Amino acid sequence: MRLLILGLGTAGSRIADAIAEPAGRATRGPAVHAIAVDNDPVILESLKNIDRERKIYFPRDSISTPELRTTTFTIDEVKALLRSNDAGGHDAVLLCAGLGGGLIDLVPHLVDIIRETMFEPVFALVTLPSDEEGQERLKRAATNMRQIRAILDGVIVFDNQLWLDKVREQMETAVQQTGPGVTERFWIPGTPEKTSVEPYDLINHQIAIRIQLLIQAGEIQDTPPQMVLDTREILNTITGAGLITIGFADEPLEEHSKIGFFRQKQESIVYRQERAGRIVKLAEKAVFRDISAYSDLSSATKALILLVGPEEELSMKGFMAVRKWIDDSINGYELRSGDSPVSARHGSHVAVLIVLSGLNEIPRVSELDQLIQTK
């Protein structure tokens, strides 16, 4: 799948940059073209994966109303960049933003511009602010969510309140395991070395890996999948389906040597059962623990299941059990699924990704909505 991504504000620009990071597995070409718009030049300069000419800066102090913003940040420049991308070369447009940020209210104007020349579906990936960001920001997020839901083909929700707690716990555990003196250094999975990061860096990594896996699932792969999941099926799952959450869980594999003993182990009844059990366990973790925002499985009208990992580790028995569970649980009949196998040489993890869409209600969104209903 090929995405045109527009990151708005600091949060949106950093998320777009994280998604645009080149994947470890080759595809037909760049699967992501990203544009970043922000009023902080330091943030724009720090983005590593977005080309300089695709970074748009506008002065912070001259912004007072949405009307002025659209002229101040030179909306014509955004238009030119959008139109410079071959519309037929992208399968969808993804707007990334912090829902409580100052640029999210530009989404309606930008959607109008996009729909003038493009026929591809337009989605948003938004982060819900945490409680520590203050009541005004929470209320703004609720108001903005109401505004954008009606004009987009789908809204992917990521709850910062939930994920801040998770990543801070991870960072604290890492510090305890490695000892004093390393509090400011933490390893982001998939990166070659330890770097200085903030909790939001880890959250952005979690967001990026989910979107990158969906992108890769719709691409031509070196290892043919047993169950093909193409771009059209991915888009059909999330288009016109309201709120969307994405769960992801993975587990590292033991180092297997290629001698006969391990070959026999892989073929044994016990090991086949272990592989099936691992897939089921990861699916449960993806839905109930490592979901982008907590939601009721039974309120989803559509779902998508993706298995990722070395082909010999992807259990069809486990997959069928997960498929039946999700199919029986959602409030709809549209369930799509597939696998994204990698060679054993390149794959060190087995993962399950589950998309739930058509959610009319997400508890955290409803909680924020109450803030503006009780004014």
Side-chain angles (χ1 to χ4, degrees):
M1 179 166 66
R2 296 170 66 81
L3 284 182
L4 175 59
I5 300 180
L6 180 56
L8 298 174
T10 296
S13 295
R14 284 175 166 168
I15 290 169
D17 191 60
I19 296 172
E21 183 174 357
R25 294 162 59 189
T27 61
R28 288 173 291 147
V32 171
H33 292 101
I35 300 168
V37 179
D38 197 13
N39 49 31
D40 188 336
V42 175
I43 296 299
L44 289 173
E45 287 294 334
S46 70
L47 304 179
K48 300 177 181 178
N49 304 302
I50 298 178
D51 295 339
R52 191 176 189 85
E53 61 272 17
R54 291 172 175 264
K55 299 176 182 179
I56 302 176
Y57 165 75
F58 59 95
R60 182 192 304 271
D61 57 4
S62 60
I63 301 171
S64 57
T65 68
E67 291 75 20
L68 283 178
R69 280 184 203 174
T70 58
T71 56
T72 303
F73 79 34
T74 58
I75 197 66
D76 289 339
E77 189 176 354
V78 178
K79 282 184 180 181
L81 277 176
L82 290 171
R83 289 170 179 167
S84 69
N85 292 276
D86 179 13
H90 296 95
D91 300 301
V93 180
L94 182 67
L95 305 178
C96 300
L99 202 59
L103 297 184
I104 185 72
D105 54 0
L106 293 175
V107 168
H109 189 72
L110 292 172
V111 170
D112 287 343
I113 293 172
I114 292 167
R115 296 203 192 278
E116 284 177 4
T117 56
M118 298 184 184
F119 297 98
E120 289 74 21
V122 184
F123 304 97
L125 190 159
V126 299
T127 56
L128 304 179
S130 62
D131 290 341
E132 64 191 46
E133 295 181 56
Q135 286 287 301
E136 288 306 311
R137 202 172 184 90
L138 295 173
K139 289 179 180 179
R140 191 187 313 142
T143 301
N144 289 330
M145 176 63 88
R146 284 187 176 186
Q147 184 180 38
I148 69 173
R149 284 181 67 175
I151 62 173
L152 291 163
D153 294 296
V155 180
I156 303 169
V157 181
F158 217 95
D159 182 7
N160 277 349
Q161 180 65 46
L162 167 65
W163 281 91
L164 273 175
D165 293 340
K166 287 180 182 293
V167 300
R168 283 170 175 163
E169 181 181 343
Q170 291 175 14
M171 295 177 79
E172 183 177 344
T173 300
V175 170
Q176 291 174 352
Q177 290 176 347
T178 54
V182 292
T183 55
E184 71 282 359
R185 297 181 72 78
F186 189 83
W187 179 63
I188 298 179
T191 58
E193 59 184 15
K194 294 182 180 181
T195 55
S196 182
V197 298
E198 297 294 331
Y200 284 105
D201 295 324
L202 297 178
I203 293 176
N204 291 344
H205 171 74
Q206 288 293 331
I207 294 172
I209 196 170
R210 286 160 169 76
I211 302 303
Q212 288 171 343
L213 286 174
L214 284 177
I215 291 170
Q216 293 169 12
E219 289 288 293
I220 297 173
Q221 301 170 29
D222 294 334
T223 305
Q226 297 184 55
M227 305 160 287
V228 176
L229 183 66
D230 62 24
T231 296
R232 182 180 299 179
E233 291 180 289
I234 296 170
L235 294 177
N236 284 343
T237 300
I238 60 178
T239 300
L243 300 180
I244 303 158
T245 59
I246 307 179
F248 169 79
D250 68 340
E251 180 177 297
L253 296 170
E254 296 178 6
E255 289 291 335
H256 290 301
S257 94
K258 298 301 181 181
I259 60 175
F261 169 76
F262 288 108
R263 221 182 272 119
Q264 292 172 10
K265 180 183 178 183
Q266 290 175 354
E267 294 170 356
S268 72
I269 295 175
V270 172
Y271 191 60
R272 286 201 299 269
Q273 188 66 28
E274 288 176 353
R275 284 186 300 156
R278 177 172 57 203
I279 296 297
V280 173
K281 180 184 69 174
L282 288 173
E284 291 175 340
K285 186 180 179 185
V287 170
F288 296 127
R289 185 178 184 277
D290 291 341
I291 194 82
S292 62
Y294 285 142
S295 56
D296 184 355
L297 178 58
S298 64
S299 69
T301 58
K302 300 180 184 179
L304 179 147
I305 305 167
L306 176 67
L307 305 187
V308 184
E311 184 177 10
E312 61 273 16
E313 299 289 345
L314 301 182
S315 165
M316 185 59 63
K317 181 178 180 180
F319 162 75
M320 293 306 294
V322 171
R323 182 180 170 87
K324 184 178 188 308
W325 166 48
I326 299 293
D327 196 22
D328 290 345
S329 299
I330 64 173
N331 184 28
Y333 300 99
E334 293 191 44
L335 172 62
R336 298 174 177 89
S337 56
D339 62 317
S340 185
V342 296
S343 67
R345 182 178 56 183
H346 296 113
S348 60
H349 288 70
V350 170
V352 175
L353 181 140
I354 296 179
V355 178
L356 302 176
S357 65
L359 295 160
N360 290 320
E361 181 178 345
I362 290 177
R364 177 66 173 167
V365 173
S366 300
E367 179 184 317
L368 296 180
D369 209 37
Q370 289 296 317
L371 295 176
I372 57 176
Q373 289 180 359
T374 56
K375 288 196 298 184

